[in-house]
Amino acid sequence: MTHTVASKNKSDLLQGTLDMLVLKALQLEPMHGWGITERIEQWSQKVLQVNQGSLYPALYRLQRQGWITSSWKTTENNRRARYYALTAAGRRQLAVEQESWDRLSEAVNLVMRMSTS
Amino acid sequence: MGILRDEARKLSGSLRQRTAEPELDEEIQFHIDMQTEKNQRLGMSPEEARRAALVRFGGTDRIKEEARDEYRSRPLEDFVQDLRYGVRSALGAPLFTLLAVLTLALGIGANAAVFGVVKSVLLDALPYADADRLVRVYAQKLDGTLKRSGVSAGAVGDFTARQRSFTHLTAFFNATADATFNSETGPRVLKLTLVGANFFQTLGVAPILGRTLSEADCATGARVMMLSYAAWRRELGGDPNVAGKTLRVNGNPWQVVGVLPRGFVGPMGDVDLWLPLDLGPTLRDPIHARRRHWLGLIGRLAPGATVEAAQRDFATISADLSREHPDSDAGLTTTTESLRDSMAGDTRTPLLVLMASAGLVLLITCANLAAAMLSRTLSRRQEFAVRVSLGAGRGRLVRQLLTESTLLAIAGGAAGLLLASLGLAVLRKLALPALPAYAALSLDRGAVLVTSLIALGTGIAFGVAPALSAGRTSTLREGARGASESRRTRRLRGALVAGQIALCVSLLAGAGLLARSLWAMATAPLGFDPDGVLAVTIQFGTHKYDDEKLAARFYDEVEERLRALPGVTAVATVSELPSPRMNSNGLGIEGVTWPAGEGQPFITYATVSDGYFRTLGIPLLRGRTFGPADRPDTPRAIVISQSMARRYWPKGNAIGARIRLGPNLEGPWSEVVGIVGYVRNDPARPEPEPMTYGSRRQEAWASAFLLRTKGDPLALLPPFRRELAAIDPDTAISKASPLRSYLAEGMAGRRLPVVLMTAFGLLALLLASVGVYAMFASMVAAREREFGLRVALGSTRQAIAGLVLRGGAAWMAAGLAAGAVGVVAVARLLRNLLYGVPPFDPIALGASVITLLACATVALLVPVRRAARVDPITVIRD
């Protein structure tokens, strides 16, 4: 539970990763901030825990870059919450990041599987 | 993370305001509530669940703040923050700030000051109603011996009757004369002129007191006059009841009929007393009617008429008059020009040269500023990279830089304004005698605004452009390794330095040419020796010296007393002190018929006493000068100058030749009795003009005394005053100064552009040197690591120094090559102002190039030394 990605990393790689994860989480439907953390946690089988302190700045950043939009809606429990939704540009960005992530992880995997003996 | 976080706090602003941000609060509250609910579902007690949720979330304040930084929508808060940050960043780099502000201030100040002059002389409205429609008409000889001359009284009548271009046409005495105002406190010398009745109507000027001169005043030659505002205040204390009062001028009573408005200046210059012009007596004189060209002519264009149309109109009338009056008007034509051009006169070209110089300085300023901003922005790439990685948008960075540039421009503009008003104060002292009388030097708001905008635009363009690229390309990694200039920016900076060098060499070349020309002017022999001579012009207080015998006795008596003063070695009287515009007479030579259609040439003429040539050191070449043998009843004796003898008696037979001088073609012959050395009455003109002298023994008229002494000329003034008062207390001294300074005054107009252009040249030199230094200093700083590596790999320090030097030399060479174009342009512009110096004078050009190279090299040597001293160990370890 204490193992969070955010608290142990400080490279700008993280930032890009968080942004990508947020975009991914929003791919299916608009969601509020808490929902996003839950979804990422759930999809990663609790390996990734989003530092909530990073989440909101990231949300505003993505919004400013025009990749997501937000609006206030009422939840099923009748509470007001800010919902975030992917824009068309956001979808394109997600595809871009997905692709570069695939390339990167593939490359890292290749390196790590090299037998060193 | 800690460092970055701190950085983020610092960067993202000192504004720590805790204003409610309901939306963000609500959003965070919602998040914490959801987490609490989840914790409860997992089995925690409500308090525990809430505490865990809060812990999990972290400091809400900090998050809000960061989110705020990411999600901004309040321009005012941003602006204040940018402003604070701008001030902090300016104070954090004091050298850069000082450099930028000073550079801006110099550029803006110089331009605003010079434009203030240019505007007041060339652009501001003349002190007349609808002054653009006013046109000056001059007479001119087709053979060029008479230019921009006055018109004869007869011609004025003919023009008035025949012309169709003007609604008003007015004649006036085209000069001023000294008059003695017999005030209660003693004689005062004032300037008077004579104007036609419709003079003030033509100019569209109304009196502030009383009335203007009337037709009746002029027709009857009434003793009435108008006062200038200045004279009214100065001489009469602004007496509101002055109209109708009588003042004594030159011993006669004159009635004041009106006072002219403040700021009114005549086309002939500053005048105190305006008297009616009565052409009747002149028109009745058969010789003077058409042969004395003494009247100025100004017309007001009729609706639809142009200066060119008026020119054609008057040229046609002149041609007719030449045919109708072949004796007097042959070879005469007229030229017209706008009154402004006529009054701005010779100041136009020097002023435009100055404006161009100031413009060049502004360009150098901009180049310098651009380079400084560029390198500052580059050196801050790391900072930008940090901010970008923390989420600052490009727009945010650009806005920040915009604020910073604006701050600099405002500071520079304010300092520039201060400099400009100081500059104008200096210019007022320096330039006023050389400028037309109507010029009121003042700081021009428009000029300050425009130059500030240009400087601001430069600052922004060159401060923001790199920020854009920084925002786009910089990553933390690149930034952390230390900013190094890209090839492209280095080239841009190099081009800016080369541009500065090109502009600077052009300016220096111009200043060099003008200075050489002034030097040539000042040192070329005048043909007479003005040093050690006191020149005193006098003004009679009465009309008794209209009697030539009385006048002659007066001059002789004064001369005799002056000769007896201790220290005086020679004394003379002369009708007119040497000046660029002297009285000239039509010339007739026995046995010579001037070509038909050309008429007689006009030759400068002065009457002098026997001692004149000795007093001024003008050598006698042949024949004799004047002496007791020349009496009123003997034939007029004439002494001519060498240049006169060469032009009209090339065979050397001038002595004994019989000539006529003056308007009367049937008068008695005069005889050339001697030839003296040439004189240059106008030090600004290389060619000595032909000169004729008559004897005061035969024509008793003089306006000035000349005294040669071995000591200080001014020491003779008190004894002169004493002697003059003893002989005639009514005669006033209107002007007294050493002849040398009197001549220098006439050169003021020539000196002004030299002084100012040299000042601009030096300013440009300073700015360009700073520019060279700044470029290579930052280049070396950026490449320190590379140099360290090179040294570590075995490169010698000489090789490193050579590397930097070669880079500098290449850009300097490029700058000089581009400067050649500028030099050609400057030489072209200055061609008409040069005297005794070719436009491509090797000395002036060589000196300017060498000065520039020397300064630039010194500026370059500092960074070169630094490059050569790079310590490989330290640099690589860093």
Side-chain angles (χ1 to χ4, degrees), chain A residues 1-29:
Chain A
M1 213 45 195
T2 52
H3 178 91
T4 67
V5 180
S7 65
K8 287 216 170 162
N9 287 276
K10 52 183 174 185
S11 76
D12 39 333
L13 183 77
L14 162 74
Q15 186 187 317
T17 316
L18 177 60
D19 288 1
M20 179 178 78
L21 294 177
V22 169
L23 292 179
K24 181 74 186 170
L26 290 174
Q27 199 179 9
L28 290 182
E29 53 180 338

PDB file of all heavy atoms in Angstrom, chain A residues 1-29:
ATOM      1  N   MET A   1       0.817  -1.212   0.000  1.00  0.00           N
ATOM      2  CA  MET A   1       0.000   0.000   0.000  1.00  0.00           C
ATOM      3  C   MET A   1       0.844   1.252   0.000  1.00  0.00           C
ATOM      4  O   MET A   1       0.550   2.238  -0.631  1.00  0.00           O
ATOM      5  CB  MET A   1      -0.827  -0.036   1.300  1.00  0.00           C
ATOM      6  CG  MET A   1      -2.209   0.554   1.276  1.00  0.00           C
ATOM      7  SD  MET A   1      -3.273   0.172  -0.059  1.00  0.00           S
ATOM      8  CE  MET A   1      -4.490   1.438   0.211  1.00  0.00           C
ATOM      9  N   THR A   2       1.935   1.198   0.695  1.00  0.00           N
ATOM     10  CA  THR A   2       2.784   2.389   0.746  1.00  0.00           C
ATOM     11  C   THR A   2       3.623   2.527  -0.500  1.00  0.00           C
ATOM     12  O   THR A   2       4.239   3.547  -0.726  1.00  0.00           O
ATOM     13  CB  THR A   2       3.736   2.340   1.950  1.00  0.00           C
ATOM     14  OG1 THR A   2       4.404   1.099   1.909  1.00  0.00           O
ATOM     15  CG2 THR A   2       2.977   2.512   3.243  1.00  0.00           C
ATOM     16  N   HIS A   3       3.656   1.426  -1.263  1.00  0.00           N
ATOM     17  CA  HIS A   3       4.495   1.512  -2.457  1.00  0.00           C
ATOM     18  C   HIS A   3       3.771   2.308  -3.548  1.00  0.00           C
ATOM     19  O   HIS A   3       2.868   1.839  -4.191  1.00  0.00           O
ATOM     20  CB  HIS A   3       4.804   0.110  -2.973  1.00  0.00           C
ATOM     21  CG  HIS A   3       5.624   0.123  -4.215  1.00  0.00           C
ATOM     22  ND1 HIS A   3       6.998   0.091  -4.192  1.00  0.00           N
ATOM     23  CD2 HIS A   3       5.267   0.181  -5.510  1.00  0.00           C
ATOM     24  CE1 HIS A   3       7.455   0.127  -5.411  1.00  0.00           C
ATOM     25  NE2 HIS A   3       6.424   0.175  -6.245  1.00  0.00           N
ATOM     26  N   THR A   4       4.134   3.539  -3.691  1.00  0.00           N
ATOM     27  CA  THR A   4       3.521   4.325  -4.776  1.00  0.00           C
ATOM     28  C   THR A   4       4.594   4.741  -5.759  1.00  0.00           C
ATOM     29  O   THR A   4       5.735   5.000  -5.381  1.00  0.00           O
ATOM     30  CB  THR A   4       2.838   5.596  -4.255  1.00  0.00           C
ATOM     31  OG1 THR A   4       3.852   6.459  -3.768  1.00  0.00           O
ATOM     32  CG2 THR A   4       1.841   5.289  -3.174  1.00  0.00           C
ATOM     33  N   VAL A   5       4.182   4.748  -6.976  1.00  0.00           N
ATOM     34  CA  VAL A   5       5.125   5.149  -8.030  1.00  0.00           C
ATOM     35  C   VAL A   5       5.585   6.580  -7.802  1.00  0.00           C
ATOM     36  O   VAL A   5       6.750   6.904  -7.875  1.00  0.00           O
ATOM     37  CB  VAL A   5       4.456   5.026  -9.418  1.00  0.00           C
ATOM     38  CG1 VAL A   5       5.428   5.429 -10.488  1.00  0.00           C
ATOM     39  CG2 VAL A   5       3.989   3.602  -9.612  1.00  0.00           C
ATOM     40  N   ALA A   6       4.606   7.363  -7.463  1.00  0.00           N
ATOM     41  CA  ALA A   6       4.900   8.797  -7.423  1.00  0.00           C
ATOM     42  C   ALA A   6       5.926   9.159  -6.365  1.00  0.00           C
ATOM     43  O   ALA A   6       6.783   9.994  -6.593  1.00  0.00           O
ATOM     44  CB  ALA A   6       3.620   9.571  -7.152  1.00  0.00           C
ATOM     45  N   SER A   7       5.829   8.546  -5.207  1.00  0.00           N
ATOM     46  CA  SER A   7       6.682   9.012  -4.124  1.00  0.00           C
ATOM     47  C   SER A   7       8.137   8.598  -4.307  1.00  0.00           C
ATOM     48  O   SER A   7       9.001   9.131  -3.657  1.00  0.00           O
ATOM     49  CB  SER A   7       6.160   8.478  -2.793  1.00  0.00           C
ATOM     50  OG  SER A   7       6.288   7.075  -2.797  1.00  0.00           O
ATOM     51  N   LYS A   8       8.389   7.629  -5.169  1.00  0.00           N
ATOM     52  CA  LYS A   8       9.778   7.178  -5.261  1.00  0.00           C
ATOM     53  C   LYS A   8      10.499   7.678  -6.502  1.00  0.00           C
ATOM     54  O   LYS A   8      11.684   7.443  -6.665  1.00  0.00           O
ATOM     55  CB  LYS A   8       9.801   5.650  -5.236  1.00  0.00           C
ATOM     56  CG  LYS A   8       9.500   5.123  -3.863  1.00  0.00           C
ATOM     57  CD  LYS A   8      10.309   3.891  -3.586  1.00  0.00           C
ATOM     58  CE  LYS A   8      10.166   3.551  -2.119  1.00  0.00           C
ATOM     59  NZ  LYS A   8      10.550   2.175  -1.854  1.00  0.00           N
ATOM     60  N   ASN A   9       9.761   8.298  -7.365  1.00  0.00           N
ATOM     61  CA  ASN A   9      10.410   8.766  -8.596  1.00  0.00           C
ATOM     62  C   ASN A   9      10.362  10.280  -8.699  1.00  0.00           C
ATOM     63  O   ASN A   9       9.476  10.923  -8.186  1.00  0.00           O
ATOM     64  CB  ASN A   9       9.712   8.176  -9.816  1.00  0.00           C
ATOM     65  CG  ASN A   9      10.051   6.717  -9.950  1.00  0.00           C
ATOM     66  OD1 ASN A   9      11.067   6.361 -10.505  1.00  0.00           O
ATOM     67  ND2 ASN A   9       9.170   5.893  -9.387  1.00  0.00           N
ATOM     68  N   LYS A  10      11.346  10.737  -9.387  1.00  0.00           N
ATOM     69  CA  LYS A  10      11.317  12.189  -9.560  1.00  0.00           C
ATOM     70  C   LYS A  10      11.762  12.604 -10.952  1.00  0.00           C
ATOM     71  O   LYS A  10      12.025  13.768 -11.208  1.00  0.00           O
ATOM     72  CB  LYS A  10      12.184  12.869  -8.518  1.00  0.00           C
ATOM     73  CG  LYS A  10      13.584  12.306  -8.450  1.00  0.00           C
ATOM     74  CD  LYS A  10      14.345  12.995  -7.346  1.00  0.00           C
ATOM     75  CE  LYS A  10      15.701  12.348  -7.144  1.00  0.00           C
ATOM     76  NZ  LYS A  10      16.404  12.922  -6.020  1.00  0.00           N
ATOM     77  N   SER A  11      11.893  11.629 -11.845  1.00  0.00           N
ATOM     78  CA  SER A  11      12.288  12.043 -13.187  1.00  0.00           C
ATOM     79  C   SER A  11      11.060  12.557 -13.929  1.00  0.00           C
ATOM     80  O   SER A  11       9.934  12.329 -13.523  1.00  0.00           O
ATOM     81  CB  SER A  11      12.878  10.874 -13.959  1.00  0.00           C
ATOM     82  OG  SER A  11      11.842  10.030 -14.370  1.00  0.00           O
ATOM     83  N   ASP A  12      11.315  13.259 -15.027  1.00  0.00           N
ATOM     84  CA  ASP A  12      10.192  13.767 -15.791  1.00  0.00           C
ATOM     85  C   ASP A  12       9.486  12.632 -16.519  1.00  0.00           C
ATOM     86  O   ASP A  12       8.427  12.801 -17.084  1.00  0.00           O
ATOM     87  CB  ASP A  12      10.616  14.871 -16.758  1.00  0.00           C
ATOM     88  CG  ASP A  12      11.946  14.583 -17.393  1.00  0.00           C
ATOM     89  OD1 ASP A  12      12.734  13.861 -16.755  1.00  0.00           O
ATOM     90  OD2 ASP A  12      12.197  15.072 -18.487  1.00  0.00           O
ATOM     91  N   LEU A  13      10.119  11.454 -16.492  1.00  0.00           N
ATOM     92  CA  LEU A  13       9.462  10.283 -17.066  1.00  0.00           C
ATOM     93  C   LEU A  13       8.139  10.039 -16.348  1.00  0.00           C
ATOM     94  O   LEU A  13       7.121   9.777 -16.947  1.00  0.00           O
ATOM     95  CB  LEU A  13      10.387   9.072 -16.887  1.00  0.00           C
ATOM     96  CG  LEU A  13       9.910   7.765 -17.489  1.00  0.00           C
ATOM     97  CD1 LEU A  13      10.132   7.791 -18.994  1.00  0.00           C
ATOM     98  CD2 LEU A  13      10.647   6.597 -16.856  1.00  0.00           C
ATOM     99  N   LEU A  14       8.183  10.244 -15.038  1.00  0.00           N
ATOM    100  CA  LEU A  14       7.000  10.007 -14.240  1.00  0.00           C
ATOM    101  C   LEU A  14       5.856  10.897 -14.683  1.00  0.00           C
ATOM    102  O   LEU A  14       4.737  10.438 -14.846  1.00  0.00           O
ATOM    103  CB  LEU A  14       7.298  10.299 -12.768  1.00  0.00           C
ATOM    104  CG  LEU A  14       6.016  10.485 -11.950  1.00  0.00           C
ATOM    105  CD1 LEU A  14       5.352   9.152 -11.719  1.00  0.00           C
ATOM    106  CD2 LEU A  14       6.305  11.219 -10.678  1.00  0.00           C
ATOM    107  N   GLN A  15       6.200  12.107 -14.843  1.00  0.00           N
ATOM    108  CA  GLN A  15       5.147  13.051 -15.183  1.00  0.00           C
ATOM    109  C   GLN A  15       4.437  12.640 -16.458  1.00  0.00           C
ATOM    110  O   GLN A  15       3.231  12.571 -16.535  1.00  0.00           O
ATOM    111  CB  GLN A  15       5.749  14.444 -15.350  1.00  0.00           C
ATOM    112  CG  GLN A  15       4.701  15.497 -15.559  1.00  0.00           C
ATOM    113  CD  GLN A  15       5.371  16.803 -15.896  1.00  0.00           C
ATOM    114  OE1 GLN A  15       6.368  17.162 -15.286  1.00  0.00           O
ATOM    115  NE2 GLN A  15       4.828  17.492 -16.867  1.00  0.00           N
ATOM    116  N   GLY A  16       5.262  12.287 -17.446  1.00  0.00           N
ATOM    117  CA  GLY A  16       4.686  11.850 -18.703  1.00  0.00           C
ATOM    118  C   GLY A  16       3.843  10.599 -18.487  1.00  0.00           C
ATOM    119  O   GLY A  16       2.748  10.456 -19.045  1.00  0.00           O
ATOM    120  N   THR A  17       4.319   9.711 -17.630  1.00  0.00           N
ATOM    121  CA  THR A  17       3.598   8.473 -17.386  1.00  0.00           C
ATOM    122  C   THR A  17       2.252   8.746 -16.741  1.00  0.00           C
ATOM    123  O   THR A  17       1.229   8.195 -17.142  1.00  0.00           O
ATOM    124  CB  THR A  17       4.427   7.564 -16.471  1.00  0.00           C
ATOM    125  OG1 THR A  17       5.767   7.589 -16.926  1.00  0.00           O
ATOM    126  CG2 THR A  17       3.915   6.151 -16.520  1.00  0.00           C
ATOM    127  N   LEU A  18       2.265   9.604 -15.743  1.00  0.00           N
ATOM    128  CA  LEU A  18       1.013   9.926 -15.060  1.00  0.00           C
ATOM    129  C   LEU A  18       0.016  10.514 -16.050  1.00  0.00           C
ATOM    130  O   LEU A  18      -1.145  10.101 -16.086  1.00  0.00           O
ATOM    131  CB  LEU A  18       1.268  10.910 -13.913  1.00  0.00           C
ATOM    132  CG  LEU A  18       0.009  11.366 -13.175  1.00  0.00           C
ATOM    133  CD1 LEU A  18      -0.719  10.191 -12.557  1.00  0.00           C
ATOM    134  CD2 LEU A  18       0.359  12.404 -12.108  1.00  0.00           C
ATOM    135  N   ASP A  19       0.501  11.427 -16.869  1.00  0.00           N
ATOM    136  CA  ASP A  19      -0.392  12.032 -17.857  1.00  0.00           C
ATOM    137  C   ASP A  19      -0.999  10.958 -18.749  1.00  0.00           C
ATOM    138  O   ASP A  19      -2.195  10.960 -19.037  1.00  0.00           O
ATOM    139  CB  ASP A  19       0.391  13.037 -18.724  1.00  0.00           C
ATOM    140  CG  ASP A  19       0.745  14.294 -17.936  1.00  0.00           C
ATOM    141  OD1 ASP A  19       0.387  14.328 -16.738  1.00  0.00           O
ATOM    142  OD2 ASP A  19       1.363  15.206 -18.507  1.00  0.00           O
ATOM    143  N   MET A  20      -0.118  10.045 -19.170  1.00  0.00           N
ATOM    144  CA  MET A  20      -0.588   8.992 -20.067  1.00  0.00           C
ATOM    145  C   MET A  20      -1.627   8.116 -19.373  1.00  0.00           C
ATOM    146  O   MET A  20      -2.660   7.779 -19.960  1.00  0.00           O
ATOM    147  CB  MET A  20       0.614   8.151 -20.506  1.00  0.00           C
ATOM    148  CG  MET A  20       0.272   7.006 -21.415  1.00  0.00           C
ATOM    149  SD  MET A  20       1.762   6.131 -21.890  1.00  0.00           S
ATOM    150  CE  MET A  20       2.058   5.183 -20.398  1.00  0.00           C
ATOM    151  N   LEU A  21      -1.357   7.786 -18.112  1.00  0.00           N
ATOM    152  CA  LEU A  21      -2.288   6.940 -17.373  1.00  0.00           C
ATOM    153  C   LEU A  21      -3.638   7.624 -17.202  1.00  0.00           C
ATOM    154  O   LEU A  21      -4.690   6.990 -17.307  1.00  0.00           O
ATOM    155  CB  LEU A  21      -1.706   6.577 -16.000  1.00  0.00           C
ATOM    156  CG  LEU A  21      -0.458   5.679 -16.042  1.00  0.00           C
ATOM    157  CD1 LEU A  21       0.083   5.441 -14.645  1.00  0.00           C
ATOM    158  CD2 LEU A  21      -0.783   4.357 -16.734  1.00  0.00           C
ATOM    159  N   VAL A  22      -3.592   8.926 -16.942  1.00  0.00           N
ATOM    160  CA  VAL A  22      -4.849   9.664 -16.777  1.00  0.00           C
ATOM    161  C   VAL A  22      -5.642   9.632 -18.071  1.00  0.00           C
ATOM    162  O   VAL A  22      -6.849   9.368 -18.081  1.00  0.00           O
ATOM    163  CB  VAL A  22      -4.563  11.118 -16.339  1.00  0.00           C
ATOM    164  CG1 VAL A  22      -5.834  11.953 -16.426  1.00  0.00           C
ATOM    165  CG2 VAL A  22      -4.005  11.144 -14.933  1.00  0.00           C
ATOM    166  N   LEU A  23      -4.945   9.876 -19.188  1.00  0.00           N
ATOM    167  CA  LEU A  23      -5.626   9.864 -20.480  1.00  0.00           C
ATOM    168  C   LEU A  23      -6.263   8.486 -20.714  1.00  0.00           C
ATOM    169  O   LEU A  23      -7.402   8.376 -21.161  1.00  0.00           O
ATOM    170  CB  LEU A  23      -4.643  10.197 -21.606  1.00  0.00           C
ATOM    171  CG  LEU A  23      -4.097  11.630 -21.624  1.00  0.00           C
ATOM    172  CD1 LEU A  23      -3.116  11.799 -22.790  1.00  0.00           C
ATOM    173  CD2 LEU A  23      -5.246  12.636 -21.768  1.00  0.00           C
ATOM    174  N   LYS A  24      -5.472   7.453 -20.370  1.00  0.00           N
ATOM    175  CA  LYS A  24      -5.952   6.086 -20.579  1.00  0.00           C
ATOM    176  C   LYS A  24      -7.205   5.826 -19.744  1.00  0.00           C
ATOM    177  O   LYS A  24      -8.191   5.262 -20.225  1.00  0.00           O
ATOM    178  CB  LYS A  24      -4.831   5.108 -20.198  1.00  0.00           C
ATOM    179  CG  LYS A  24      -5.165   3.648 -20.386  1.00  0.00           C
ATOM    180  CD  LYS A  24      -5.162   3.285 -21.863  1.00  0.00           C
ATOM    181  CE  LYS A  24      -5.653   1.846 -22.071  1.00  0.00           C
ATOM    182  NZ  LYS A  24      -5.876   1.577 -23.501  1.00  0.00           N
ATOM    183  N   ALA A  25      -7.153   6.295 -18.473  1.00  0.00           N
ATOM    184  CA  ALA A  25      -8.267   6.058 -17.568  1.00  0.00           C
ATOM    185  C   ALA A  25      -9.543   6.706 -18.080  1.00  0.00           C
ATOM    186  O   ALA A  25     -10.641   6.226 -17.842  1.00  0.00           O
ATOM    187  CB  ALA A  25      -7.926   6.589 -16.179  1.00  0.00           C
ATOM    188  N   LEU A  26      -9.369   7.828 -18.810  1.00  0.00           N
ATOM    189  CA  LEU A  26     -10.540   8.555 -19.292  1.00  0.00           C
ATOM    190  C   LEU A  26     -11.016   8.044 -20.644  1.00  0.00           C
ATOM    191  O   LEU A  26     -11.965   8.571 -21.210  1.00  0.00           O
ATOM    192  CB  LEU A  26     -10.213  10.055 -19.398  1.00  0.00           C
ATOM    193  CG  LEU A  26     -10.029  10.782 -18.058  1.00  0.00           C
ATOM    194  CD1 LEU A  26      -9.564  12.213 -18.314  1.00  0.00           C
ATOM    195  CD2 LEU A  26     -11.337  10.782 -17.280  1.00  0.00           C
ATOM    196  N   GLN A  27     -10.311   7.025 -21.169  1.00  0.00           N
ATOM    197  CA  GLN A  27     -10.598   6.616 -22.552  1.00  0.00           C
ATOM    198  C   GLN A  27     -12.035   6.130 -22.699  1.00  0.00           C
ATOM    199  O   GLN A  27     -12.678   6.383 -23.711  1.00  0.00           O
ATOM    200  CB  GLN A  27      -9.627   5.498 -22.955  1.00  0.00           C
ATOM    201  CG  GLN A  27      -9.528   5.328 -24.458  1.00  0.00           C
ATOM    202  CD  GLN A  27      -8.549   4.227 -24.816  1.00  0.00           C
ATOM    203  OE1 GLN A  27      -8.082   3.504 -23.942  1.00  0.00           O
ATOM    204  NE2 GLN A  27      -8.247   4.101 -26.092  1.00  0.00           N
ATOM    205  N   LEU A  28     -12.534   5.425 -21.688  1.00  0.00           N
ATOM    206  CA  LEU A  28     -13.869   4.843 -21.819  1.00  0.00           C
ATOM    207  C   LEU A  28     -14.978   5.846 -21.552  1.00  0.00           C
ATOM    208  O   LEU A  28     -15.947   5.917 -22.273  1.00  0.00           O
ATOM    209  CB  LEU A  28     -14.010   3.665 -20.856  1.00  0.00           C
ATOM    210  CG  LEU A  28     -13.176   2.447 -21.242  1.00  0.00           C
ATOM    211  CD1 LEU A  28     -13.419   1.308 -20.258  1.00  0.00           C
ATOM    212  CD2 LEU A  28     -13.503   1.998 -22.661  1.00  0.00           C
ATOM    213  N   GLU A  29     -14.838   6.601 -20.463  1.00  0.00           N
ATOM    214  CA  GLU A  29     -15.937   7.507 -20.095  1.00  0.00           C
ATOM    215  C   GLU A  29     -15.381   8.650 -19.273  1.00  0.00           C
ATOM    216  O   GLU A  29     -14.305   8.522 -18.674  1.00  0.00           O
ATOM    217  CB  GLU A  29     -16.970   6.739 -19.250  1.00  0.00           C
ATOM    218  CG  GLU A  29     -16.295   6.056 -18.072  1.00  0.00           C
ATOM    219  CD  GLU A  29     -17.250   5.283 -17.202  1.00  0.00           C
ATOM    220  OE1 GLU A  29     -18.434   5.580 -17.241  1.00  0.00           O
ATOM    221  OE2 GLU A  29     -16.790   4.395 -16.465  1.00  0.00           O
TER     222      GLU A  29
END
